[in-house]
């Protein structure tokens, strides 16, 4: 058996991968736009969809499930360390689509990003956790007053941390938020330059497996635990790319169903693809596989509540009307593929 790649190696590799440049536009978003006429798949031979990915996410799943076979268009993947730079890249026209956690779209909306939320995924929030050292005296969120928390700004972990602090009667002013991407956060945490690490799978699974850590909180039942498919406005306005995105979203939903029905094979393939120990891969994907579900009014309302909390705590300048960044044009084709985690 090959030696497991330690968490520091994988995180360092991720940091070295390209983060596409471009600041989020401050121009006013026009809200959900009318979908252009659908183009037959047979006419998409010259189309290339540029897809933002996070390591072990979209590309690995689509490949493992065979969903990229016989594509009537081309796809190219770019890898990012977290969701916020994916939103920036979509706004800058560098990518057409990406799947992020529940917080990056809020930061995008607050900055009038030229994107729309077009699909939703139930991740359950099981892997989004707040970690401390095993020998730490910290036992709960209420113990974090005056403590330092490493977290990626605008990530799902940022949103989770904010909600947990609010529930415990604390604000960001009561702690020290240290904004670091996962590789730098790992270094700061292991060297005890920060007290706490708020992070998500597969990083959580790696830390739990390879480091002496404890979790003092997780997002399940605290935030909506959702992931979102985010499409660039420019792609949605283009008839050919819009049609290709519709097909890709269906393929992705079917790939998730395959992974859900074949967990052992998926965990093995996932681990091999991203260089994770099989134990880590099984733990991460066994609890954090994002299942396609309805982009409902209730889900949008829960995002609005989080956006309001970000504004209240001065993490963003003002709360956007999140519904203006939601576009349900693909709902009809995706609805038959939804998976209800509560009925599993």
């Amino acid at each position: 058996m090959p030696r497991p790649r330690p968490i520091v190696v994988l995180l360092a590799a991720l940091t070295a991968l390209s983060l596409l440049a471009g600041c989020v536009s401050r121009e006013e978003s026009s809200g959900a736009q009318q979908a252009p006429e659908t183009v037959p798949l047979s006419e998409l031979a010259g189309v290339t969809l540029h897809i933002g990915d996070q390591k072990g996410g979209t590309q690995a799943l689509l490949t493992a499930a065979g969903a990229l076979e016989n594509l009537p268009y081309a796809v190219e993947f770019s890898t990012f360390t977290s969701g916020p730079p994916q939103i920036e890249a979509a706004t800058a026209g560098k990518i057409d689509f990406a799947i992020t956690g529940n917080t990056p779209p809020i930061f995008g909306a607050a900055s009038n990003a030229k994107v729309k939320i077009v699909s939703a995924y139930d991740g359950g929030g099981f892997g989004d956790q707040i970690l401390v050292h095993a020998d730490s005296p910290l036992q709960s969120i209420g113990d974090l007053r005056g403590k330092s928390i490493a977290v990626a700004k605008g990530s799902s972990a940022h949103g989770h941390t904010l909600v947990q602090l609010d529930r415990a009667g604390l604000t960001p002013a009561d702690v020290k938020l240290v904004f670091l991407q996962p590789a730098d956060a790992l270094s700061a945490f292991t060297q005890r330059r920060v007290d706490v690490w708020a992070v998500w799978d597969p990083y959580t699974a790696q830390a739990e497996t390879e480091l002496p850590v404890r979790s003092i909180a997780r997002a399940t039942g605290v935030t909506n635990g959702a992931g979102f498919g985010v499409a660039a406005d420019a792609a949605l306005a283009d008839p050919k790319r819009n049609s290709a995105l519709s097909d890709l979203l269906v393929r992705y939903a079917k790939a998730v169903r395959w992974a859900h029905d074949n967990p052992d094979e998926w965990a093995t393939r996932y681990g091999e693809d991203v260089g994770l120990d099989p134990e880590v891969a099984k733990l991460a994907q066994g609890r954090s596989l994002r299942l396609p579900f309805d982009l409902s009014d209730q889900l949008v309302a829960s995002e609005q509540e989080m956006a309001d909390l970000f504004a209240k705590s001065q993490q963003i300048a003002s709360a956007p009307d999140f519904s203006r960044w939601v576009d349900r044009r693909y709902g009809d084709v995706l609805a038959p593929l939804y998976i209800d985690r509560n009925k599993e």
Side-chain angles (χ1 to χ4, degrees):
M1 176 182 295
R3 293 178 60 191
R5 292 182 67 188
I7 185 171
V8 66
V9 175
L10 180 61
L11 289 171
L14 288 179
T15 299
L17 290 166
S18 172
L19 295 180
L20 299 180
C23 295
V24 177
S25 170
R26 281 288 179 180
E27 296 179 12
E28 182 65 24
S29 172
S30 59
Q33 58 205 46
Q34 184 175 355
E37 290 294 325
T38 300
V39 176
L41 295 179
S42 59
E43 298 180 14
L44 301 183
V47 173
T48 298
L49 282 182
H50 297 273
I51 310 300
D53 199 6
Q54 294 184 49
K55 190 67 172 178
T58 307
Q59 184 177 13
L61 180 58
L62 289 169
T63 301
L68 295 179
E69 298 174 2
N70 301 314
L71 278 178
Y73 46 86
V75 292
E76 293 183 359
F77 293 90
S78 300
T79 306
F80 299 79
T81 56
S82 63
Q86 291 177 309
I87 302 288
E88 293 181 357
T91 291
K94 302 297 185 181
I95 62 173
D96 299 311
F97 177 78
I99 294 176
T100 78
N102 57 9
T103 304
I106 293 173
F107 272 68
S111 298
N112 292 317
K114 296 179 181 179
V115 300
K116 295 295 177 291
I117 312 306
V118 296
S119 57
Y121 306 93
D122 179 11
F126 301 101
D128 210 337
Q129 299 188 29
I130 297 178
L131 305 176
V132 299
H133 295 283
D135 60 359
S136 171
L138 303 174
Q139 299 296 322
S140 69
I141 299 299
D143 297 332
L144 298 187
R145 186 182 298 275
K147 304 302 180 182
S148 54
I149 305 171
V151 63
K153 187 174 184 178
S155 68
S156 63
H158 189 184
H160 175 216
T161 300
L162 198 65
V163 175
Q164 290 282 11
L165 290 173
D166 185 67
R167 285 164 62 101
L170 299 175
T171 73
D174 295 316
V175 298
K176 181 181 180 182
L177 296 179
V178 182
F179 293 124
L180 298 170
Q181 289 296 319
D184 292 330
L186 169 67
S187 176
F189 182 69
T190 55
Q191 295 176 26
R192 298 183 183 253
R193 290 186 280 112
V194 294
D195 302 300
V196 180
W197 186 16
V199 70
W200 61 92
D201 272 335
Y203 307 117
T204 307
Q206 283 189 285
E208 290 178 308
T209 302
E210 301 174 8
L211 301 173
V213 298
R214 286 186 291 107
S215 174
I216 61 171
R218 68 180 184 182
T220 306
V222 176
T223 73
N224 57 34
F228 292 101
V230 181
D233 283 353
L236 294 174
D238 178 72
K240 289 188 175 182
R241 282 187 288 169
N242 173 65
S243 298
L245 275 174
S246 179
D247 179 72
L248 184 76
L249 285 170
V250 169
R251 288 172 181 264
Y252 183 82
K254 290 180 177 179
V256 175
R257 169 62 73 177
W258 171 84
H260 177 267
D261 293 342
N262 300 273
D264 292 338
E265 182 178 353
W266 164 232
T268 298
R269 294 285 299 276
Y270 172 69
E272 292 173 349
D273 188 82
V274 301
L276 289 174
D277 176 80
E279 181 183 355
V280 175
K282 186 173 183 178
L283 175 59
Q285 288 304 307
R287 67 189 181 191
S288 294
L289 181 64
R290 288 172 167 168
L291 309 180
F293 79 137
D294 186 22
L295 184 53
S296 65
D297 289 342
Q298 181 180 5
L299 179 59
V300 172
S302 70
E303 285 290 290
Q304 186 65 55
E305 290 177 1
M306 189 180 293
D308 293 343
L309 180 57
F310 266 91
K312 176 184 175 183
S313 60
Q314 300 181 340
Q315 297 292 288
I316 55 177
S318 61
D321 177 357
F322 191 78
S323 65
R324 289 177 56 81
W325 277 264
V326 175
D327 188 323
R328 295 185 172 94
R329 69 179 62 185
Y330 304 124
D332 289 344
V333 298
L334 293 177
L337 301 170
Y338 292 155
I339 303 173
D340 188 344
R341 185 181 297 275
N342 295 324
K343 294 182 179 180
E344 295 302 315

